[in-house]
C-alpha cells in the first residue's frame, strides 16, 4: 500500500513538473510571437536616405600597351519616406544623380544626369493586393549635347520632363518585392519650344511643347541579397500607349549592385537600359562602376 501511495505521489509531481515546463514554453513562444508581430507590424512613417560619391580613375605613363588617363565622379542622393498602417501603404522614393568624366585631351563630359520622384499609394484590398495610385516624375539637371556635334544642345533642365500617373492594382509581398499594374495611365512629356522649332523632339510634335499619351504601365521592384554584404536592386518600368502603336512598349530597367565594405565604403555597379522610340529609336545603355563613399541620414 505504501509503495502504491509513493508511486502515485511521484507520478503527480512528475505531471505537475511537466505542466509547469509546458506552460513556461508556451508563455515563451507566445511572447516571441507577439514580439515578432510587433516588429513586423507597420506603424507610421519610416524615413531613410543615403548620399553617395562614386569615384573612378585610370592613369597611364609611358604605357606601351596604350591607354588614356581619365578620372570620373558621380554623386547621388536616395531618400525614401514611406507610410504603413493596417490598411494603407504609401511608398515615396527620390533619386538624384549627376556625374562627370574627364579623359586626357578631351573636353569634360557628362556621364549621368537624372532627377526622379516616385510615389505609390495603396489601400488594402485582400491578402497582398491593394487598390493603388502611382505618380512618377523624371527630368535632368544640366544641358545635354549632340554626341556628333558638341556645340548643339539637345536637352536641358525640365526639357524633357516626363510625368506618369494613374490608378491600378498593387501586389506587395514586402518593401523589397512589389509589382504595380496601372491599365489607365496618363503620360505627359514637356519640352521647351526651341527644341521643336525645326522638327519633333522626344515625341512632341514640331512647334509644340507638350505631348499627352494614355496607356498602361507596369512597375516592378525587387531587391535581394546575393550574399552577405552584397545586395542587388532591380527596377523595371514598362509602358505602352493605347493611342499609337500599342504593341510598341517603352522599357526602363535599372540594376544596382552594392558590395558593402564597411559603414562608409562600398563598391557600386549600376546598369541601366532604356527603350523609348520617341526619344531614340534604339536601346540607350548606361554602366557605372567604382568605389563609393556613403553617408546615411
Amino acid at each position: 500500500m505504501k509503495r502504491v501511495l509513493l508511486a502515485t505521489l511521484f507520478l503527480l509531481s512528475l505531471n505537475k513538473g511537466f505542466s509547469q515546463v509546458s506552460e513556461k514554453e508556451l508563455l515563451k513562444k507566445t511572447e516571441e510571437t507577439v514580439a515578432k508581430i510587433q516588429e513586423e507590424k507597420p506603424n507610421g512613417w519610416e524615413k531613410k536616405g543615403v548620399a553617395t560619391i562614386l569615384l573612378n580613375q585610370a592613369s597611364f605613363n609611358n604605357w606601351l600597351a596604350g591607354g588614356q588617363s581619365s578620372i570620373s565622379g558621380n554623386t547621388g542622393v536616395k531618400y525614401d519616406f514611406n507610410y504603413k498602417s493596417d490598411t494603407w501603404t504609401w511608398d515615396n522614393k527620390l533619386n538624384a544623380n549627376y556625374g562627370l568624366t574627364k579623359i586626357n585631351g578631351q573636353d569634360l563630359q557628362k556621364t549621368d544626369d537624372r532627377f526622379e520622384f516616385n510615389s505609390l499609394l495603396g489601400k488594402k484590398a485582400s491578402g497582398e493586393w491593394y487598390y493603388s495610385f502611382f505618380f512618377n516624375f523624371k527630368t535632368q539637371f544640366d544641358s545635354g549635347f549632340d554626341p556628333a556635334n558638341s556645340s548643339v544642345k539637345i536637352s536641358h533642365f525640365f526639357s524633357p520632363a516626363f510625368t506618369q500617373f494613374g490608378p491600378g492594382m498593387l501586389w506587395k509581398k514586402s518593401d523589397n518585392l512589389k509589382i504595380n499594374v496601372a491599365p489607365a495611365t496618363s503620360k505627359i512629356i514637356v519640352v521647351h519650344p526651341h527644341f521643336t522649332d525645326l522638327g519633333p523632339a522626344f515625341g512632341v510634335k514640331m512647334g509644340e511643347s507638350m505631348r499627352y499619351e494614355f496607356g498602361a504601365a507596369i512597375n516592378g521592384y525587387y531587391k535581394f541579397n546575393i550574399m552577405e554584404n552584397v545586395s542587388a536592386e532591380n527596377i523595371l518600368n514598362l509602358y505602352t500607349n493605347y493611342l499609337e502603336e500599342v504593341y510598341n512598349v517603352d522599357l526602363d530597367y535599372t540594376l544596382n549592385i552594392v558590395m558593402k565594405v564597411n559603414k562608409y565604403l562600398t563598391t557600386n555597379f549600376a546598369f541601366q537600359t532604356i527603350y523609348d522610340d520617341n526619344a531614340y529609336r534604339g536601346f540607350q545603355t548606361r554602366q557605372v562602376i567604382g568605389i563609393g563613399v556613403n553617408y546615411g541620414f
Side-chain angles (χ1 to χ4, degrees):
M1 184 68 182
K2 188 183 290 186
R3 290 181 180 177
V4 174
L5 183 60
L6 289 173
T8 303
L9 290 172
F10 174 74
L11 290 173
L12 288 173
S13 63
L14 190 63
N15 182 61
K16 185 178 180 181
F18 278 123
S19 298
Q20 289 177 346
V21 172
S22 298
E23 288 176 2
K24 289 181 180 178
E25 289 179 350
L26 182 61
L27 182 61
K28 184 179 179 181
K29 288 181 179 179
T30 302
E31 291 175 348
E32 289 177 351
T33 303
V34 171
K36 187 176 181 181
I37 292 173
Q38 289 176 344
E39 182 181 347
E40 294 178 349
K41 184 178 179 181
N43 184 18
W45 287 95
E46 180 182 356
K47 304 173 185 178
K48 60 180 179 180
V50 60
T52 303
I53 297 176
L54 196 65
L55 301 173
N56 199 346
Q57 187 262 344
S59 180
F60 302 91
N61 186 24
N62 299 323
W63 190 253
L64 299 182
Q68 289 183 303
S69 298
S70 65
I71 184 169
S72 62
N74 284 63
T75 182
V77 174
K78 291 183 178 181
Y79 187 66
D80 295 85
F81 49 106
N82 304 327
Y83 176 81
K84 298 178 184 178
S85 70
D86 292 334
T87 56
W88 289 92
T89 177
W90 189 12
D91 297 342
N92 300 278
K93 183 183 289 290
L94 175 68
N95 285 328
N97 294 272
Y98 189 77
L100 294 169
T101 185
K102 180 66 172 71
I103 299 175
N104 190 31
Q106 299 183 20
D107 295 333
L108 197 66
Q109 299 179 38
K110 187 170 62 171
T111 57
D112 196 4
D113 184 6
R114 57 197 175 104
F115 174 89
E116 182 171 0
F117 173 69
N118 287 285
S119 185
L120 180 58
L121 178 66
K123 173 70 168 63
K124 191 83 168 181
S126 176
E128 293 165 347
W129 286 95
Y130 296 78
Y131 304 109
S132 67
F133 188 90
F134 88 101
F135 174 85
N136 170 266
F137 174 77
K138 291 188 291 188
T139 189
Q140 62 190 59
F141 294 103
D142 199 4
S143 299
F145 296 88
D146 190 337
N149 187 349
S150 60
S151 63
V152 177
K153 186 184 293 187
I154 57 175
S155 62
H156 59 62
F157 176 68
F158 210 82
S159 187
F162 302 90
T163 303
Q164 288 187 18
F165 54 90
M169 291 296 295
L170 166 66
W171 179 82
K172 185 175 182 181
K173 181 71 174 178
S174 68
D175 287 342
N176 292 328
L177 178 58
K178 52 192 172 183
I179 299 173
N180 187 66
V181 180
T185 297
S186 293
K187 181 177 180 180
I188 299 172
I189 306 170
V190 176
V191 297
H192 194 283
H194 58 230
F195 289 120
T196 61
D197 284 342
L198 302 177
F202 303 99
V204 180
K205 294 180 179 179
M206 180 177 176
E208 299 183 5
S209 60
M210 188 186 80
R211 172 185 172 93
Y212 175 80
E213 297 180 0
F214 182 73
I218 299 177
N219 311 110
Y221 182 85
Y222 181 38
K223 183 178 180 181
F224 65 96
N225 290 328
I226 300 174
M227 59 182 70
E228 187 177 1
N229 294 329
V230 181
S231 65
E233 181 184 50
N234 297 269
I235 305 169
L236 175 65
N237 299 304
L238 301 173
Y239 174 79
T240 184
N241 181 16
Y242 294 147
L243 306 179
E244 275 181 23
E245 300 179 341
V246 67
Y247 296 109
N248 192 0
V249 179
D250 295 342
L251 177 147
D252 188 342
Y253 170 71
T254 301
L255 170 65
N256 294 312
I257 296 179
V258 178
M259 291 162 274
K260 186 176 180 181
V261 179
N262 55 38
K263 183 178 179 180
Y264 298 105
L265 294 177
T266 57
T267 298
N268 297 54
F269 170 79
F271 171 80
Q272 183 179 16
T273 183
I274 297 174
Y275 179 82
D276 182 355
D277 64 348
N278 288 326
Y280 175 75
R281 290 191 175 275
F283 281 94
Q284 307 171 58
T285 58
R286 178 181 66 90
Q287 180 177 307
V288 179
I289 187 170
I291 299 296
V293 181
N294 307 293
Y295 174 73
F297 58 92

